[in-house]
Amino acid sequence: MTASAATLLRTAAELAGYAPGGDRAERAVVMTMGALHEGHASLIQTARAVVGPAGQVVVTVFVNPLQFGESADLDRYPRTLDADLAVAGAAGADVVFAPSVDEVYPGGEPQVRISAGPMGERLEGASRPGHFDGMLTVVAKLLHLTRPEVAFFGQKDAQQLALIRRMVRDLNFPVEIVGVETAREDDGLALSSRNRFLDAYERHTALALSRALFAARDRLAAQQALHARAQTTGATEGRAAGLNRLGEARLAADAQAVARARPDQGPAAVRAAARAILDDAAAEQPPLALDYLALVDPADFTEIPDDRTAGDAILAVAARVGTTRLIDNIPLTFGAIA
């Protein structure tokens, strides 16, 4: 499929009348604010694979004013519709639905909105008050307008994804929400339309976000591997001391590490590994200004306690480099044996 295969629609009436292949064709939607990159392309490709050649893939391009706290941020957001059409078509989209603000909000800003609730006040919600209410409001409207059976969202915006899933469940939307793994550049930086605002020096500093997440993941895997060995080998402090007396320093150090491995040290170790890299980045030029580092429950984005020994979690980070604010996250599972 080529870029020319994507049909541009501007109005809800045009979209309602679009039904190639018949009304029974399964429809998937990928919602974006434009400035499409390879991360968006990955979402579109996944959507195409799920609905197959007979299905419909609709990509929405709408810069939602309700999600921006300051008009300057709204004005700064890149608009690249011609390039977006090319990216969407090449990735497998049938339609790009790019309505105007008046089309989405014909009476001006809506008086009735979706409330994100307590989860929407944490992390990103605390940093950007009202952001998630605006996001959920437009997602709800676009779900009604596009009428998909399935919708795809990126894991990079993990809190957004969790809130959309909660809205769909709580309000009985007849749609399946699918999360797609974060797409990254070769150096590990999470793909984002904001990356274009980074100069070479800022980009170097920004790499600390993904490096911190990967270091935390590796620390957890190492700890869980040590704990698994402790369970199977029965290593003790006494064995380590005995090896030391025999002059086997390296074996003694290994035995001691295994003996001291405890499953309830995972959350603290994860936070410490990530924090060390972010602290170093704060001393870089230009510096990384940390907004938050949080290890949270993916169900409600509350903090994971230090004594958590099992279950899923998300390690999330947000920071500003220069004038650009970036977010990233990684899923973790405590209690898993590598």
Side-chain angles (χ1 to χ4, degrees):
M1 181 170 292
T2 64
S4 62
T7 299
L8 175 62
L9 303 178
R10 288 289 201 171
T11 69
E14 289 174 340
L15 184 62
Y18 181 85
D23 292 332
R24 295 186 179 181
E26 185 177 15
R27 176 176 285 182
V29 67
V30 175
M31 296 186 189
T32 82
M33 292 205 297
L36 302 190
H37 49 66
E38 287 303 311
H40 296 109
S42 177
L43 290 171
I44 298 166
Q45 290 161 359
T46 302
R48 171 54 63 196
V50 168
V51 301
Q56 298 174 11
V57 176
V58 176
V59 175
T60 67
V61 173
F62 180 66
V63 182
N64 179 30
L66 301 189
Q67 292 176 231
F68 291 83
E70 299 180 7
S71 59
D73 290 337
L74 175 61
D75 294 340
R76 185 186 185 212
Y77 199 88
R79 275 80 164 175
T80 58
L81 183 58
D82 289 342
D84 294 343
L85 284 167
V87 172
D94 297 297
V95 169
V96 171
F97 177 51
S100 67
V101 173
D102 289 340
E103 183 71 20
V104 176
Y105 303 120
E109 289 196 5
Q111 296 184 30
V112 177
R113 307 189 187 192
I114 302 291
S115 170
M119 195 196 323
E121 298 172 357
R122 300 174 186 133
L123 300 187
E124 284 301 292
S127 297
R128 305 164 69 186
H131 166 74
F132 285 128
D133 291 355
M135 178 276 295
L136 289 178
T137 299
V138 80
V139 168
K141 287 181 71 77
L142 289 173
L143 286 175
H144 287 313
L145 291 171
T146 58
R147 296 173 287 114
E149 282 76 29
V150 58
F152 295 81
F153 296 88
Q155 178 65 36
K156 185 179 81 71
D157 296 297
Q159 192 173 3
Q160 170 180 283
L161 175 59
L163 282 163
I164 292 170
R165 282 176 166 154
R166 186 64 188 249
M167 177 186 73
V168 164
R169 185 181 71 192
D170 286 354
L171 301 183
N172 299 103
F173 278 73
V175 61
E176 178 186 1
I177 303 299
V178 176
V180 179
E181 184 178 354
T182 300
R184 299 185 179 276
E185 301 195 34
D186 291 341
D187 57 11
L189 188 67
L191 284 167
S192 169
S193 57
R194 296 177 184 270
N195 293 352
R196 69 184 65 196
F197 299 130
L198 299 170
D199 65 28
Y201 299 103
E202 291 169 340
R203 183 186 175 86
H204 176 76
T205 297
L207 290 175
L209 273 69
S210 57
R211 289 196 295 110
L213 297 177
F214 298 154
R217 178 192 61 191
D218 294 345
R219 175 71 64 84
L220 178 61
Q223 276 220 328
Q224 294 184 151
L226 284 173
H227 179 61
R229 285 179 59 195
Q231 291 180 309
T232 57
T233 65
T236 64
E237 294 276 0
R239 180 172 182 272
L243 288 167
N244 253 327
R245 287 193 295 271
L246 293 171
E248 298 288 351
R250 292 180 62 185
L251 290 175
D254 180 70
Q256 188 173 63
V258 172
R260 291 181 177 178
R262 291 169 44 194
D264 61 352
Q265 294 176 329
V270 160
R271 291 184 175 101
R275 176 73 64 173
I277 291 175
L278 296 170
D279 286 347
D280 286 345
E284 294 277 356
Q285 290 299 327
L288 182 143
L290 184 65
D291 186 349
Y292 61 76
L293 172 69
L295 183 65
V296 298
D297 188 321
D300 58 11
F301 273 67
T302 56
E303 282 281 347
I304 296 289
D306 277 344
D307 60 355
R308 172 70 64 88
T309 60
D312 293 331
I314 290 174
L315 183 64
V317 63
R320 191 174 295 275
V321 182
T323 60
T324 304
R325 188 174 184 276
L326 301 170
I327 63 172
D328 202 351
N329 70 85
I330 194 168
L332 300 171
T333 301
F334 292 93
I337 303 300

